[in-house]
Amino acid sequence: MKKKIILDCDPGIDDSLAIALCCSSNEIELRGVTVTHGNVPLNQTLDNALALLSFLGRDVEVYAGAIRPLVRSPIDASNVHGNNGLGGVRLPPHNRKPNAKGAVEFIINEVMANPGEIGLFGIGPLTNIALALRMEPRLADAVAEIVIMGGAIGEGNTTPAAEFNLYADPHAARIVFESGRLTTMFGLDVTHKALATAERLAPLKHMGNKVADLVLRFLESYRGFYADVYGWESPAIHDMCTIAWAIDPSLFQTRKMRVEVDTNEGLNLGRTVGDSLLRNADAALVDVALDVDADDLFALFAERVARY
Ligand code: BDR
Ligand code: CA
């Protein structure tokens, strides 16, 4: 059976890869793309989502969401994704417009009209999903699952304690974790193992298709950050892990943990604290992805990009 999902994102280079994988995979029915502030401000993430879907030739509706976090001042990750959020890569002009409905309204309407059927995949700061949970208290019971790229049981990437999506809106993340419906978390523990090495990207090089070429250009621009900051030759494709898992969960190893989000100002703001001994029965019980067969993940991705 197809997984019906709403993808909540902030494109973003790795978000764009996730969208491209989603739109070429018939295991997934993408019901809509909701957009949030995050890697760059909302006006830019929104235009990136529209331009990318136009480039991919997919008629998926796009909904504009929150322009800023619930409580904190906005931050961005333009140091990673460039000022345009796509590493300076320019997509062709397009004439797509966002749907008149807002992201939060769409999430609520779509999930409530299809109880138990729609999964929410959050690959940016979780502001839109948190607002939807707050505005419609029955949403938590009606949603099939919530899956996120975010957090880290180990070291963070934005602060030593926190990963970007969690740090950008820790209060929203806490609402999502406490909803009881967050089933699966792809944090840095696993996404830093999904590196786009030259070997893994080799099949894209000779594909002679415009999406493969775009992916290679995106990743080229992304490479600098990982080289400068981590000393790695290859960048991590974080967000794409969630979609690869939706297609083939056997690519990943997960462990059940109780996970809590720290929303106190200070050293640990936005930290996800995981407990594999499951001590606090009130904390979210989450499958935390810890390992991935990265060669197989990239083989799947290449096979799907070849479909464009
Ligand atoms: C996450 O932060 C963003 O920069 C990426 O798009 C990804 O969602 C990785 O920490
Ligand atoms: Ca993202």
Side-chain angles (χ1 to χ4, degrees):
M1 210 175 62
K2 281 189 184 223
K3 252 185 196 284
K4 296 176 185 150
I5 77 166
I6 296 172
L7 188 61
D8 188 64
C9 58
D10 60 336
I13 293 172
D14 55 327
D15 302 76
S16 300
L17 268 48
I19 292 171
L21 179 59
C22 213
C23 289
S24 57
S25 297
N26 41 27
E27 295 86 349
I28 296 176
E29 190 178 317
L30 183 57
R31 304 290 284 242
V33 169
T34 53
V35 183
T36 174
H37 69 91
N39 285 319
V40 284
L42 182 79
N43 60 345
Q44 187 68 61
T45 53
L46 186 61
D47 190 61
N48 291 347
L50 293 162
L52 181 70
L53 285 162
S54 163
F55 183 83
L56 298 175
R58 295 298 191 268
D59 272 330
V60 180
E61 286 295 301
V62 174
Y63 302 83
I67 60 164
R68 50 176 298 149
L70 296 186
V71 177
R72 301 194 66 217
S73 303
I75 59 165
D76 69 37
S78 54
N79 60 323
V80 186
H81 298 263
N83 288 336
N84 79 341
L86 299 177
V89 175
R90 301 255 163 238
L91 287 166
H94 66 91
N95 53 17
R96 304 258 176 126
K97 295 261 179 299
N99 193 289
K101 230 184 248 174
V104 176
E105 187 187 355
F106 170 69
I107 291 172
I108 293 172
N109 290 351
E110 191 67 10
V111 172
M112 296 313 292
N114 302 278
E117 285 188 28
I118 313 272
L120 296 176
F121 279 53
I123 59 175
L126 293 165
T127 320
N128 291 339
I129 299 181
L131 285 168
L133 285 163
R134 278 293 187 259
M135 286 183 68
E136 175 47 271
R138 295 169 302 168
L139 191 78
D141 284 334
V143 72
E145 60 187 349
I146 303 179
V147 176
I148 63 162
M149 187 283 134
I153 303 303
E155 203 173 359
N157 60 357
T158 301
T159 71
E163 179 278 332
F164 177 77
N165 290 337
L166 268 281
Y167 192 68
D169 197 343
H171 303 91
R174 184 162 174 180
I175 290 171
V176 171
F177 276 73
E178 291 181 354
S179 71
R181 297 304 297 148
L182 176 68
T183 56
T184 320
M185 160 179 157
F186 293 83
L188 301 178
D189 317 284
V190 68
T191 66
H192 275 177
K193 294 178 180 168
L195 301 183
T197 64
E199 235 176 27
R200 291 173 182 152
L201 294 177
L204 299 184
K205 287 212 163 115
H206 310 290
M207 231 170 238
N209 108 15
K210 65 174 192 171
V211 178
D213 292 346
L214 181 71
V215 166
L216 291 171
R217 286 171 65 210
F218 279 157
L219 289 172
E220 200 42 52
S221 69
Y222 204 32
R223 198 174 294 284
F225 170 81
Y226 286 90
D228 297 347
V229 175
Y230 288 99
W232 297 347
E233 264 176 42
S234 313
I237 51 71
H238 311 280
D239 293 343
M240 202 177 80
C241 288
T242 60
I243 303 299
W245 172 83
I247 298 167
D248 181 0
S250 76
L251 292 169
F252 295 88
Q253 271 99 57
T254 61
R255 185 188 294 170
K256 279 251 180 279
M257 290 193 194
R258 294 277 183 192
V259 187
E260 291 174 80
V261 179
D262 196 328
T263 50
N264 293 309
E265 284 297 333
L267 199 58
N268 287 313
L269 179 65
R271 180 171 172 209
T272 44
V273 180
D275 178 13
S276 57
L277 300 184
L278 312 180
R279 281 165 280 209
N280 176 6
D282 293 333
L285 187 60
V286 184
D287 286 326
V288 178
L290 293 176
D291 218 337
V292 56
D293 187 330
D295 287 339
D296 286 0
L297 179 147
F298 279 92
L300 170 76
F301 182 59
E303 188 244 309
R304 297 307 161 94
V305 170
R307 294 181 180 181
Y308 282 102

